[in-house]
Amino acid sequence: MRNVTIVGAGYVGLVSGAGISDFGHIVTCVDISKNKIKELKNGKIPIYEPGLDELIKKNVKAGRLFFENNIKDAISNADIIFIAVGTPMNQDGSADITAVKDVAKSIGENLNNYKVICTKSTVPIGTGKLIIDIIKNYKPNDIRFDYVSNPEFLREGSAVKDFLWPDRVVIGAQSQSAFNIMKEVYGPLYINETQIIHTGVVTAEMIKYASNSFLALKISYINEVANLCEAIGADVHQVSNAMGKDGRISPKFLHPGPGFGGSCFPKDTKAFLSFSESYGNKLRTIQAAIETNKNQKQRMVEKIKKLIGGNLKNKKIAILGLAFKPNTNDVRESASIHMIESLNRKRCIINAFDPIANDEMKKIFPNLNYKNSWQEACKGADGVVVMTEWNEFRGISLSLLKSLLKRPILLDTRNIFDIEKLIKHNYKFDNVGRKYLDEN
Ligand code: UGA
């Protein structure tokens, strides 16, 4: 059993803290936000993540998980310190690592015995070296530490599951002893024979960007294939299903849609591209994935324009789904943002509904007509656009929907509706790579 401190009680920090305490270690999550820590101490979880609430409560009750504001004490008492603070995107697309550097300075100033310092935040490749230098600069001369890069591969909406049952754990450790300590932290996984991969620090940093960028590339690829399917009358789901049967390709992340969003893929692909450029080895494939994604978002706007036909001014459009994917209230870089911006420019009246992300979207677009159900959003609308594949939307009755809409126009950007049924109900519809509008 080890004493672990997690600096940053955001999405990555909380999931990691809850998960590591569940592995049997004593974990303290620290955050500079007094309000957040107060809420956490009162049992209020600041983010929506399935299973997190229960996991936190269970480990708090077991006396293994604590929340504090005092970073000094939390550092002094720890054997291992995880850096899990945010790295938001700068205007030029690069990551802002100010918070990471501040934490490194605090760690150096409060280092009282040998510790392993581990970064979980997604930081630009090469940041590990910078963190080591900052800690060295501020720490007492006679005290040693080891640095580790331990990237996270958590998906929002299934982060708890991803943490407790990962495909692999990557540990970029400077020394064998630091690797062994990290192996202890992830002990229960090791017993279950999860692959724990020991690499160098910079290699671990690279693995994170290479993995996320590859997944983004895969999505952009299938989106382009879907667009081609539309042009020739092929069905992209049959294509991706057959492709996915090939173990070398795998069926995952071959689902076409309105373009990837979220806090990771858009940011990480841009950062990886600009990193590659700075080394004179431009990643052209990633540049293409970014460009394709931008086009895909616009393509969805063109589709609804075409379905509605004529002037969009004063047309009432229902947008179902605001989150960048289901099971999260996160709307960052969501494809629905581009859709709303474009429809706003055309002076459309927008009825918006998301099962849990209405409040988040209100922070960006305060003036839309936010509704409390898909039925309310669709009532009297000239058309409906499904932007997120919530299960709730999969179960929509097409006859009820038709009775609510002014015109039976539907753009299914997530391909959740059965084409035969849409035809049977006489919808004018479009989707991504399955049935081209002109064929309806
Ligand atoms: C992503 C990675 O999947 C995680 O492994 C990684 O740890 C995380 O970023 C991160 O760096 O923190 P996340 O952003 O939560 O996770 O969401 P994903 O499930 O990967 O989805 C990203 C976007 O791609 C969503 O907009 C989703 O709708 C879209 N997507 C995903 C598709 O359009 N098609 C697919 O087949 C899969």
Side-chain angles (χ1 to χ4, degrees):
M1 195 257 304
R2 292 282 184 169
N3 284 319
V4 175
T5 284
I6 315 255
V7 187
Y11 161 74
V12 172
L14 279 180
V15 174
S16 307
I20 293 170
S21 62
D22 208 57
F23 294 158
H25 304 286
I26 303 293
V27 177
T28 305
C29 291
V30 281
D31 200 286
I32 45 167
S33 163
K34 291 215 160 68
N35 200 29
K36 191 185 271 182
I37 293 299
K38 196 173 141 204
E39 289 204 334
L40 282 164
K41 280 187 170 173
N42 289 330
K44 272 186 83 180
I45 315 301
I47 51 165
Y48 176 82
E49 189 61 43
L52 184 59
D53 209 322
E54 295 84 335
L55 197 69
I56 289 180
K57 285 189 178 131
K58 175 185 158 198
N59 286 289
V60 167
K61 198 166 165 219
R64 288 191 294 260
L65 181 58
F66 302 89
F67 302 103
E68 294 299 338
N69 282 122
N70 189 331
I71 187 164
K72 195 167 177 267
D73 288 351
I75 289 172
S76 309
N77 297 333
D79 302 317
I80 302 126
I81 301 166
F82 282 87
I83 303 175
V85 291
T87 52
M89 188 156 67
N90 284 319
Q91 294 229 305
D92 64 356
S94 63
D96 175 356
I97 56 163
T98 314
V100 172
K101 290 199 274 189
D102 288 348
V103 175
K105 181 169 176 260
S106 297
I107 292 173
E109 285 169 347
N110 295 292
L111 205 71
N112 56 339
N113 53 19
Y114 171 81
K115 296 181 198 302
V116 171
I117 316 299
C118 169
T119 298
K120 261 222 167 289
S121 304
T122 302
V123 290
I125 300 162
T127 303
K129 192 179 169 309
L130 189 74
I131 295 173
I132 293 169
D133 289 345
I134 295 173
I135 299 174
K136 276 188 182 159
N137 231 343
Y138 287 94
K139 77 172 184 69
N141 279 336
D142 54 336
I143 299 182
R144 279 189 333 107
F145 72 97
D146 271 317
Y147 181 78
V148 168
S149 164
N150 172 215
E152 54 90 9
F153 302 104
L154 311 174
R155 284 164 301 172
E156 285 189 33
S158 54
V160 169
K161 191 173 142 278
D162 289 346
F163 194 90
L164 298 177
W165 294 279
D167 291 333
R168 79 305 206 184
V169 175
V170 173
I171 297 175
Q174 267 187 319
S175 69
Q176 187 61 41
S177 54
F179 174 70
N180 291 342
I181 292 171
M182 291 300 292
K183 227 164 74 175
E184 245 184 78
V185 171
Y186 288 104
L189 298 181
Y190 192 59
I191 294 161
N192 291 339
E193 294 182 0
T194 298
Q195 276 249 26
I196 304 205
I197 302 167
H198 186 180
T199 68
V201 169
V202 81
T203 303
E205 291 172 340
M206 178 69 101
I207 288 169
K208 169 71 188 181
Y209 280 95
S211 300
N212 269 10
S213 298
F214 181 77
L215 292 171
L217 180 63
K218 205 172 171 189
I219 297 167
S220 276
Y221 176 74
I222 202 66
N223 281 340
E224 284 203 306
V225 170
N227 299 342
L228 198 53
C229 282
E230 287 175 4
I232 60 163
D235 184 315
V236 70
H237 282 283
Q238 291 183 357
V239 173
S240 63
N241 181 36
M243 281 172 67
K245 296 279 186 260
D246 185 329
R248 293 169 302 175
I249 296 174
S250 122
K252 292 178 184 161
F253 279 68
L254 275 184
H255 194 93
F260 58 76
S263 63
C264 307
F265 288 172
K267 183 176 82 166
D268 293 352
T269 44
K270 280 184 199 134
F272 202 30
L273 175 63
S274 88
F275 173 78
S276 71
E277 282 169 338
S278 68
Y279 277 83
N281 279 298
K282 185 169 171 176
L283 288 161
R284 287 170 214 284
T285 47
I286 301 308
Q287 185 183 32
I290 295 168
E291 210 174 291
T292 297
N293 199 50
K294 202 170 151 216
N295 293 342
Q296 191 70 3
K297 289 181 178 176
Q298 181 55 26
R299 203 177 157 92
M300 299 304 117
V301 178
E302 302 304 328
K303 278 177 182 284
I304 187 64
K305 270 206 264 182
K306 196 166 177 188
L307 279 170
I308 298 278
N311 195 347
L312 282 179
K313 194 174 168 193
N314 291 330
K315 291 282 185 315
K316 191 186 277 179
I317 311 282
I319 307 270
L320 303 186
L322 305 171
F324 80 98
K325 65 173 188 176
N327 296 322
T328 175
N329 64 348
D330 196 338
V331 300
R332 281 176 286 179
E333 301 280 333
S334 169
S336 58
I337 293 179
H338 181 79
M339 176 63 76
I340 293 168
E341 264 167 4
S342 308
L343 295 181
N344 263 343
R345 268 198 300 274
K346 302 268 172 230
R347 308 266 188 85
C348 284
I349 302 160
I350 299 176
N351 285 357
F353 169 69
D354 188 283
I356 58 169
N358 277 4
D359 287 344
E360 284 303 307
M361 200 55 115
K362 268 182 205 164
K363 294 179 189 163
I364 303 174
F365 300 107
N367 298 324
L368 307 180
N369 302 319
Y370 289 95
K371 302 291 180 182
N372 292 320
S373 67
W374 67 262
Q375 290 92 334
E376 269 182 51
C378 294
K379 209 166 172 186
D382 291 283
V384 53
V385 182
V386 176
M387 294 299 297
T388 318
E389 70 276 36
W390 283 97
N391 276 340
E392 185 178 335
F393 301 153
R394 291 178 194 274
I396 286 178
S397 146
L398 288 177
S399 53
L400 174 59
L401 177 63
K402 196 173 167 188
S403 70
L404 293 166
L405 292 167
K406 201 193 290 177
R407 294 162 68 195
I409 289 179
L410 185 147
L411 172 58
D412 179 8
T413 71
R414 298 287 185 169
N415 293 351
I416 60 175
F417 292 104
D418 188 296
I419 291 174
E420 304 309 321
K421 288 189 184 150
L422 287 165
I423 294 171
K424 197 176 127 214
H425 285 89
N426 282 321
Y427 273 86
K428 190 176 178 195
F429 68 93
D430 202 358
N431 49 40
V432 185
R434 301 193 74 193
K435 193 93 182 172
Y436 190 54
L437 175 67
D438 288 347
E439 292 177 48
N440 290 183

